[in-house]
Amino acid sequence: MFHPRRTLRALLLPLTAGLALTALPAQTAQAASTLTNAGFEADGAGAAAPSGWSEYGDTGASFAESGGHAGSYRLSHWASAAYKVETYQYLSGLTNGNYKLTAWVRSGGGQKSAYIALKNCGGAEQRTDLPVSASGWLRIVVPVNVTNNQCTISVNSDANAGNWINVDDLTFTSGTTGLSIKGADISSLPKSEAKGGVYKTASGTTGDPVTILKNAGMNYARLKVWVNPADGYNNKARVLAAAKRVKAAGQKLLVDFHYSDTWADPGAQSKPSAWAGHSYSQLKTDVYNHTYDVLNALKAQGTTADMVQVGNEINGGMLWNEGSTSNWGQLAGLLNSGYDAVKAVNSSTPVALHLAKGGDLTGTRWWFDSAVSNGVKFDTIGLSFYGYWHGTLADFQTTLDDAASRYGKPVFVAETAYPFRLDSDDSFENIIDLSSELVAGYPATPAGQLAWMNSVASIVEAVPNGRGLGVFYWETTWTAVNGNGWDPADAASGNGWENQALFGYDDRALSSTAWFSHR
């Protein structure tokens, strides 16, 4: 697959719409108010410069070839030597306002940078990096505010030898995108600090981690609630104290009810010991009273929850065995008890239902179809998506988009994370500690962690009809601190997650906290 490099061509873009182009002999840039050849179908395979598009840099690395997303052909960037190339199209005569570029992309990864940009539109350039996806096509979006009646659509690669991207089926329409939630779970923080945990800015100044994260762009905190945990953390009293801190920092608050004394997830949904012998009817009352009690206390102290999860990763139900998915009628009753309690405290607080396995289309459909047919009430859908467990980014996009459209609800990532290194900072083995466990194209470095988060955020941003709310990082502040291990009943337990925090082993905020400034 060798493509001879063509001569470098420089094009001078007009400063204002309609000004005659100063063109080099090779070609002139087309100016139109709508995209020309947006699916790269006009020329067939091997087109050195696709019709309607211009190139700059190592132009031999930009070409049309077979293997389109919807049609027969696509734009590709590739060369056998390191290259820098831009493929662009200039639009003029635009009505000023908000626009959204949508594109289908793939990338083998490894580039210094690979992104789609909207520039020369009158304001700041807007970019979306291409996620690494070597097989499945992904849809990404770039929004911009046009203020000078023109805009340039730009596909850029600064690549090493053999790196490649595919781009296809672009649309440029009115509209905008962005994420309302750039959040993090900080449930581990109070215990960490009580046990001596320290948090620093990137430059090494000790500070309040909530403030440090806020300054990075975080706008939403997630706090889990256990009923009567062995260590006395993540209970009602601790959540009330943490909520004051969150709200004082100007953050919104997601309250995550586990309905357990310890971790609830697809493999464990143990009843709290205080509810152990209760009947199904009593459990419905327990769920209502516990949910109401915590949320009403939050409201009373002026820190009303902004969103509530009724259950945590409830793929198999909750409050086993009574609330198992093997008895959907009872599970529905328990979920609706939680929903009703949330609304009784504050009718405008959205209720989320949260599943793990964010790349499992079949399982997600089965669960929510069952919920709907059993009359379960909910307002939003939260999915956990860990790329080393839950499938590819393409699987995730398919599942997320389907959930949003099939149920007509906003969706968000309730949990995701990625390692910035593989070795451990305590004597406890990390859950992800082998390079073979990583997602292809995303190294275990702060840069790889940042790229992962931006990829996940970009997929949520691209959910159609504005239904992608945002992302919560899990678990931002869970650094290795003696006594703050995973098991609330065992003070000697370690933390298998410190290599996926957003603070390094030197306690400094990592460069990957920049993901919080995603649009």
Side-chain angles (χ1 to χ4, degrees):
M1 183 177 163
F2 177 71
H3 303 271
R5 284 169 51 147
R6 297 192 299 280
T7 54
L8 175 67
R9 305 187 196 114
L11 286 161
L12 304 175
L13 284 180
L15 296 176
T16 57
L19 185 68
L21 279 168
T22 306
L24 295 178
Q27 67 182 92
T28 58
Q30 279 184 264
S33 59
T34 55
L35 275 172
T36 301
N37 192 22
F40 303 97
E41 298 294 307
D43 312 290
S51 297
W53 295 85
S54 304
E55 297 170 331
Y56 178 78
D58 296 317
T59 58
S62 168
F63 48 89
E65 66 177 348
S66 296
H69 164 255
S72 300
Y73 305 101
R74 68 196 184 207
L75 173 71
S76 294
H77 285 180
W78 175 86
S80 58
Y83 63 93
K84 289 185 185 180
V85 70
E86 175 188 15
T87 309
Y88 64 95
Q89 188 169 150
Y90 165 66
L91 301 180
S92 65
L94 296 171
T95 303
N96 287 337
N98 291 319
Y99 289 85
K100 174 179 72 173
L101 180 80
T102 303
W104 287 90
V105 301
R106 297 193 301 196
S107 171
Q111 299 90 346
K112 296 170 190 168
S113 64
Y115 61 89
I116 297 181
L118 297 176
K119 61 184 189 178
N120 307 322
C121 311
E125 177 177 332
Q126 297 295 317
R127 292 184 181 182
T128 300
D129 292 331
L130 269 63
V132 180
S133 180
S135 54
W137 289 91
L138 296 173
R139 188 182 59 257
I140 61 171
V141 292
V142 193
V144 75
N145 181 26
V146 173
T147 59
N148 62 353
N149 305 111
Q150 64 184 27
C151 197
T152 299
I153 287 88
S154 171
V155 181
N156 277 266
S157 293
D158 181 356
N160 300 300
N163 293 163
W164 61 269
I165 65 170
N166 303 148
V167 177
D168 206 357
D169 295 338
L170 294 92
T171 59
F172 186 71
T173 57
S174 59
T176 190
T177 65
L179 300 179
S180 58
I181 296 172
K182 275 88 64 121
D185 195 305
I186 55 170
S187 298
S188 65
L189 181 58
K191 188 174 181 181
S192 173
E193 291 174 325
K195 300 291 182 182
V198 171
Y199 298 87
K200 300 178 179 179
T201 64
S203 58
T205 305
T206 300
D208 177 356
V210 177
T211 303
I212 292 169
L213 293 168
K214 177 192 177 180
N215 290 341
M218 174 178 154
N219 65 6
Y220 223 121
R222 180 179 187 253
L223 298 173
K224 69 172 175 272
V225 187
W226 288 340
V227 178
N228 188 24
D231 61 0
Y233 285 88
N234 301 297
N235 61 8
K236 175 186 169 185
R238 300 283 187 179
V239 168
L240 286 169
K244 283 186 176 176
R245 208 170 152 184
V246 165
K247 294 281 191 164
Q251 309 282 286
K252 289 188 172 181
L253 173 64
L254 168 61
V255 178
D256 170 20
F257 285 95
H258 284 230
Y259 302 110
S260 180
D261 293 334
T262 187
W263 302 99
D265 58 48
Q269 294 282 342
S270 318
K271 286 195 285 280
S273 55
W275 309 355
H278 290 192
S279 67
Y280 165 65
S281 179
Q282 287 174 299
L283 288 171
K284 282 200 294 184
T285 303
D286 292 332
V287 167
Y288 186 96
N289 289 345
H290 170 62
T291 306
Y292 185 93
D293 181 46
V294 173
L295 296 178
N296 197 50
L298 284 166
K299 180 181 178 181
Q301 71 172 14
T303 60
T304 301
D306 297 286
M307 182 155 57
V308 173
Q309 271 181 234
V310 173
N312 188 77
E313 293 191 335
I314 52 176
N315 300 60
M318 65 185 197
L319 295 165
W320 289 346
N321 289 316
E322 286 79 359
S324 162
T325 49
S326 61
N327 190 335
W328 257 105
Q330 291 194 171
L331 174 57
L334 294 168
L335 293 172
N336 283 339
S337 271
Y339 182 96
D340 291 343
V342 175
K343 299 299 184 177
V345 174
N346 182 31
S347 61
S348 63
T349 300
V351 173
L353 297 180
H354 170 211
L355 301 186
K357 304 181 183 177
D360 179 7
L361 174 65
T362 304
T364 302
R365 269 191 181 180
W366 172 81
W367 199 96
F368 278 100
D369 282 0
S370 301
V372 169
S373 65
N374 281 277
V376 176
K377 296 177 280 191
F378 62 100
D379 305 312
T380 63
I381 293 171
L383 298 177
S384 295
F385 178 65
Y386 295 101
Y388 35 73
W389 293 329
H390 294 156
T392 66
L393 287 167
D395 294 333
F396 166 55
Q397 180 163 69
T398 300
T399 306
L400 195 68
D401 289 355
D402 184 75
S405 62
R406 190 174 179 89
Y407 309 106
K409 304 288 188 185
V411 293
F412 65 97
V413 176
E415 300 180 19
T416 189
Y418 205 76
F420 63 91
R421 57 195 292 172
L422 293 173
D423 60 316
S424 196
D425 195 26
D426 59 16
S427 58
F428 196 78
E429 182 182 3
N430 289 337
I431 290 174
I432 301 297
D433 63 349
L434 300 172
S435 57
S436 60
E437 294 173 302
L438 298 174
V439 180
Y442 295 92
T445 61
Q449 190 180 47
L450 174 60
W452 174 259
M453 289 308 299
N454 279 330
S455 295
V456 171
S458 292
I459 287 172
V460 178
E461 187 187 9
V463 173
N465 300 309
R467 288 195 175 118
L469 294 177
V471 182
F472 289 93
Y473 193 92
W474 198 93
E475 225 264 19
T476 322
T477 51
W478 200 11
T479 52
V481 174
N482 194 34
N484 190 25
W486 71 271
D487 184 354
D490 179 6
S493 68
N495 168 8
W497 208 261
E498 73 272 12
N499 66 322
Q500 299 194 64
L502 294 182
F503 290 85
Y505 292 1
D506 59 0
D507 300 323
R508 297 184 182 205
L510 295 167
S511 55
S512 47
T513 54
W515 90 264
F516 287 113
S517 62
H518 195 95
R519 278 184 301 270

